[in-house]
Every structure is written in structure tokens, then in C-alpha cells.
Amino acid sequence: MVSAKLYDGRLAVDIAGLKMQTPVTTASGTFGFGLEFTDFLDLEKVGAVCVKGTTLLPREGNKGQRAVETPSGMLNCVGLENPGSDYFLNETLPKLRKYDVPVIVNIAASSPEEYGELAHKLDVDGVDAVEINISCPNVKQGGIAFGTCPDSAAAVVEQVKKHFTKTVIAKLSPNVTSITEMALAVENAGTDAISLINTLIGMKIDIERKRPVLGNITGGLSGPAVRPVAVRMCYEVAQKVHVPIIGMGGIEIAEDAVEFFLCGASAIAVGTANFRNPCIAETISHGILDYMNRHGYNKLTDMIGAALPEGSFALRSGRKE
Ligand SMILES: Cc1cc2nc3c(=O)[nH]c(=O)nc-3n(C[C@H](O)[C@H](O)[C@H](O)COP(=O)(O)O)c2cc1C
């Protein structure tokens, strides 16, 4: 629980019970467990630390090359390498709890039941929310990602809701035809909030070797290249659902974050930009305040959804239709 009022409370948001002093969080997989970044920024000055994708058991991740730079972004196929839930709970969480900042654990599994089991294990003091990575392959359905099928995504959310007592965030995959269909499916299944977007599937060819560059052949595209897609999806989803949205995808500066707020996001996450500038999450909060001062907004919540079509404001962070 965060005590002192940061930014005079002007940036405070409440994401379905997850109270944050600033809407700027970190995107899973780009900020380690947060502890790796303490030489660069004050963890207590981000809204919440979202840790790397955590699985029930440790995972080694993919073999071969795992990342490559692309125009305005990068492709990665880390493959959810992580030390597993026991290590997280016994070794990492006690260290993270020394900081006065909410913790979101990003979770991954291969069946709805396994998601439920993992969520149950993580339902402990110090874990304030789980973010469900539904971009994982559903082993029982031949490896099709949960996040590309509304019924599978809903089944995962239902299991997690059953086993976790605090805030549940469903993280949508952009690799779908209709993002609003997926958003409605997870909302109807009971998610408390939605985050969007995960990475877009892409690939790069090494033309000398005449082979894909990445060990996994395909990878997830992130960075500024995906921002227009993410903003569009936020705009569409915000008009359909009532749960709060955490927007992400290519946010590098405060002005990028503002695009998401105006399109209905109540909070944002900084991802790939952390690799270039590890202090950026803290810097962005100050830039958001500058924008608010220039535009006469006293509170962040006053600008959420301001670019949505007239009459389509959803109820989020105190903003009423
Ligand atoms: C190296 C890397 C690892 C990632 N790992 C995860 C992960 O474990 N779980 C997850 O839900 N998203 C993961 N993501 C996706 C990001 O959290 C984020 O949704 C995406 O990169 C878009 O934001 P960005 O363009 O600001 O990076 C990862 C992204 C990158 C670049």
C-alpha cells in the first residue's frame, strides 16, 4: 500500500481496486522483476511494477536468437524464460515488498486449470493484482493462443477469478480480427480490468543465411511501430467495455501516453522504451503533469476518454457517461 501522496494526488487512479499514485506502470517482460532497475529509477515513483511473465514451474525459454531490432521497434521470442512461481514467492517477492509500490504479476499457463492453480498460489500479501497473459498457447487445443478465441479467453479469466481475490487484469492479444469481441468476452467472464496490447506476431529473414533470424522463427513485435495499432484498439475497446483499461504499445514519451488516456485508458504501461532509457517510466509521469497543466486538467481522471466520440464515455476512474 502506497502512503505518501505523489504528484499531489493529481495522477492517482484506481484500477478496479488497484490504487496507483501515477497511471504509469511497467510492461511485463521489459522490466524484469523491477529490482534490476533500482539503480536507475525510484520504484516507488511508478504506479505499479508489473513483473515478467511467471509460470507455475521454471521455464528455460526459447533456443537460438531471441531478439532483433526492427524499424521503430523490436521482435522478441524470449519464450517466457522465468524462474517459476516458487522462486518468485520465496526469493523475489520479499525483496519487492520492501518498496512501497503495488505489484502486478503477469501469469502464463497452458490450460485454464493451470492458470487457476497459479493464480491461487499468487493470492498472497504483496501481490496486488495478476495480469493474465492470454497470448499463450492452449495445449489442449493444438497450441492456438487462448487470446485468439473468445471462449478460451473467457475460460481462463473464469478460472483466475475463481482463485484470486484481488484485481484481475486480462491482457489482450492484438493478433485477432476483432479486438472488441475479445474484450467483451473477458469482461463477461468477470475480468476486473483489461490491458492491451501484447505484441504483434512478426518475423525477420537473414537474407545471407536465407533463414529466419529468430530461433523461434516468429517473434512479437513491440515498440513505436505498434503504437498506432494499440491506440486504435484502445479507442475501440473503450467504447464497448466498462472495466478500466491499461493501455500499452510503443509508449516512449508522455505525449504517447496521453494518446491512450484520451482514448479511454485509465493507466498505461511502458515496455520496450525501458531498454533504451531505464528511467523513462518515472520521467513520463512528469511529462503527463506538464500536459495537464497546459490543457487545464486538474486531475488525470478528467481527461480519460476525451477523444472518444461524443456520448461514448464509459464509466472509468470516476468518469461518468
Ligand atoms: C522482451 C519482451 C518480453 C515480453 N514478455 C512479456 C511477458 O512475459 N508477458 C506479457 O504479457 N507480455 C510480454 N511482453 C509484451 C509487453 O509487455 C508489451 O505488451 C508489448 O511489448 C507492447 O508494449 P511496448 O511496445 O511498449 O513494448 C514482452 C515484450 C518484450 C519486448
Side-chain angles (χ1 to χ4, degrees):
M1 214 3 100
V2 179
S3 43
K5 260 198 178 172
L6 278 180
Y7 312 109
D8 292 331
R10 294 177 65 199
L11 295 182
V13 285
D14 182 337
I15 304 290
L18 179 68
K19 292 185 177 24
M20 306 197 296
Q21 300 258 24
T22 150
V24 182
T25 66
T26 58
S28 175
T30 66
F31 201 68
F33 290 107
L35 301 166
E36 301 87 336
F37 280 69
T38 52
D39 283 347
F40 305 102
L41 96 180
D42 180 353
L43 281 192
E44 298 184 1
K45 297 231 172 92
V46 297
V49 171
C50 183
V51 304
K52 64 161 43 209
T54 297
T55 48
L56 207 50
L57 300 174
R59 270 179 68 113
E60 282 191 357
N62 287 324
K63 298 216 176 346
Q65 188 170 332
R66 290 176 168 193
V68 62
E69 206 165 334
T70 59
S72 285
M74 64 178 282
L75 284 164
N76 92 84
C77 60
V78 171
L80 293 174
E81 178 186 338
N82 80 97
S85 54
D86 282 336
Y87 185 92
F88 173 76
L89 288 167
N90 299 329
E91 304 293 329
T92 313
L93 190 59
K95 293 186 189 121
L96 261 181
R97 289 196 67 181
K98 295 194 177 125
Y99 295 89
D100 201 7
V101 65
V103 172
I104 305 172
V105 182
N106 181 275
I107 57 171
S110 53
S111 71
E113 295 72 26
E114 193 185 332
Y115 274 103
E117 191 182 341
L118 178 56
H120 176 66
K121 238 179 129 175
L122 292 166
D123 198 13
V124 295
D125 281 352
V127 175
D128 299 285
V130 289
E131 179 183 60
I132 313 171
N133 177 1
I134 51 171
S135 302
C136 306
N138 179 349
V139 166
K140 279 187 202 146
Q141 285 192 350
I144 300 164
F146 292 101
T148 58
C149 164
D151 290 346
S152 308
V156 170
V157 170
E158 277 164 18
Q159 281 298 318
V160 174
K161 275 298 288 178
K162 232 185 251 174
H163 292 96
F164 191 77
T165 54
K166 288 166 269 179
T167 308
V168 171
I169 306 162
K171 182 167 179 179
L172 301 186
S173 163
N175 302 306
V176 293
T177 309
S178 168
I179 194 74
T180 53
E181 190 184 359
M182 296 306 307
L184 288 168
V186 295
E187 183 177 57
N188 291 335
T191 196
D192 299 307
I194 284 173
S195 59
L196 57 89
I197 58 174
N198 211 317
T199 53
L200 284 144
I201 300 171
M203 66 188 289
K204 178 172 172 63
I205 300 295
D206 177 336
I207 60 167
E208 300 306 323
R209 287 195 308 118
K210 304 178 186 98
R211 291 284 178 277
V213 169
L214 295 175
N216 188 51
I217 300 177
T218 62
L221 181 66
S222 61
V226 310
R227 192 167 59 243
V229 177
V231 170
R232 185 265 294 179
M233 290 187 165
C234 184
Y235 183 82
E236 288 180 354
V237 168
Q239 292 173 66
K240 294 283 181 195
V241 303
H242 288 78
V243 293
I245 298 169
I246 304 173
M248 68 192 82
I251 295 175
E252 294 203 300
I253 54 172
E255 285 74 7
D256 301 336
V258 169
E259 286 195 52
F260 285 87
F261 297 130
L262 298 179
C263 288
S266 301
I268 58 100
V270 181
T272 303
N274 290 311
F275 298 136
R276 194 176 295 162
N277 178 355
C279 337
I280 194 65
E282 193 180 327
T283 311
I284 286 177
S285 289
H286 294 282
I288 294 169
L289 276 176
D290 287 346
Y291 174 87
M292 285 165 55
N293 291 338
R294 277 193 285 123
H295 287 263
Y297 290 118
N298 181 35
K299 289 206 152 79
L300 177 97
T301 45
D302 295 340
M303 70 160 148
I304 294 171
L308 294 176
E310 205 61 36
S312 69
F313 288 125
L315 174 66
R316 38 185 110 262
S317 280
R319 178 126 199 152
K320 295 206 170 67
E321 212 159 328

